[in-house]
Amino acid sequence: RFQMPTSRDRFYRAAVDELLLHRPARRAIPMKFSVEDKMDLLESLALTALTVRTNSDSEEFTRESIIGQLKVSLPGGTDVSALLSELIDAHGILRLTDTRRYTFTHRTFQEYFAARGALRTMETAQALSTFTPRDDLSETLAFYASIEPNTLHVQAILEHLVTHDRWYLAARCLQYIQTVPDAEVVGRIVEYVADSASTNADTILSFLDILSS
């Protein structure tokens, strides 16, 4: 029986489990590669594509970049074609573009996997210095905050954003976190959002959306 996930992290974990695990099982499709190996690869690909700009589209990556990540996450001699076939045809989590590059089927999947990769490989300070300066990585940082289990690290994320006047992003992160940070920083964010929603015409819809959530 389906139950709506109670957090953003659980929602995306359920979606990924459906694509990588349950759908192939229902269709009785034999898998050559493990879910764990695919998760490691997808996390590395997503994080690298978003943070290391090698072309004009940070959502795309090449077959060569996949091979490069495989050297790190999987044993040598991996059948790249077979692996890509599973990720594209069996799971539907990657797709091949008209320019013979690869992308995630939806950007939010890429941002979710990138956040997971960052949580696994970066300290909080490095993640903040990587994601905060770029507006196009705001959603990745929101995902990162939503899956960070350490309350002190979540606190550091919120305080960093408040200090740098990234109030909207701080409020977005506050929406999704699963721990309980210090009441003082929460109060400052909520107060700012409430004031902005009532006085700032340029941001009223964005902040009202957060308040309604």
Side-chain angles (χ1 to χ4, degrees), residues 93-111:
I93 204 159
L94 294 183
R95 68 180 182 90
L96 183 62
T97 70
D98 294 338
T99 58
R100 308 301 295 175
R101 293 174 179 269
Y102 299 88
T103 67
F104 284 82
T105 49
H106 199 282
R107 175 161 175 114
T108 54
F109 277 124
Q110 183 173 9
E111 291 164 334

Side-chain angles (χ1 to χ4, degrees), residues 154-202:
V154 170
Q155 178 84 14
I157 292 170
L158 296 178
E159 290 178 347
H160 175 87
L161 294 173
V162 167
T163 300
H164 289 80
D165 289 327
R166 300 296 301 275
W167 293 96
Y168 179 72
L169 183 52
R172 292 272 292 156
C173 290
L174 187 60
Q175 273 185 288
Y176 302 129
I177 60 175
Q178 299 183 67
T179 64
V180 182
D182 182 76
E184 191 271 336
V185 70
V186 172
R188 290 177 64 192
I189 295 170
V190 171
E191 182 178 1
Y192 186 92
V193 169
D195 289 345
S196 296
S198 61
T199 61
N200 191 330
D202 293 333

Side-chain angles (χ1 to χ4, degrees), residues 5 8 31 45 47 49 54 62-63 71 86 92 101 117 139 146 154 157 185 188 191 196 201-202 213:
R8 197 185 202 200
M31 295 287 101
L45 282 173
L47 184 60
T54 57
T62 64
R63 185 184 181 92
K71 291 178 181 179
E86 290 188 10
R101 293 174 179 269
E139 200 62 28
S146 76
V154 170
I157 292 170
V185 70
R188 290 177 64 192
E191 182 178 1
S196 296
D202 293 333
S213 301

Side-chain angles (χ1 to χ4, degrees), residues 11 13 15 22 30 48 52 62 79 83 87 97 99-101 109 112 121 129 137 142 154 167 192 200 202-203 205:
F11 176 87
R13 276 192 287 166
H22 302 311
T48 301
V52 181
T62 64
D79 187 337
L83 176 57
L87 291 171
T97 70
T99 58
R100 308 301 295 175
R101 293 174 179 269
F109 277 124
Y112 174 68
T121 61
S129 65
L137 297 182
V154 170
W167 293 96
Y192 186 92
N200 191 330
D202 293 333
T203 60
L205 291 179

Side-chain angles (χ1 to χ4, degrees), residues 2 5 7-24 26 39 91-93 108-109 112-113:
F2 176 77
S7 70
R8 197 185 202 200
D9 177 34
R10 290 176 181 173
F11 176 87
Y12 276 88
R13 276 192 287 166
V16 169
D17 283 348
E18 168 61 25
L19 292 175
L20 294 185
L21 188 63
H22 302 311
R23 187 164 76 170
R26 283 197 307 272
M39 290 288 290
H91 303 305
I93 204 159
T108 54
F109 277 124
Y112 174 68
F113 279 111

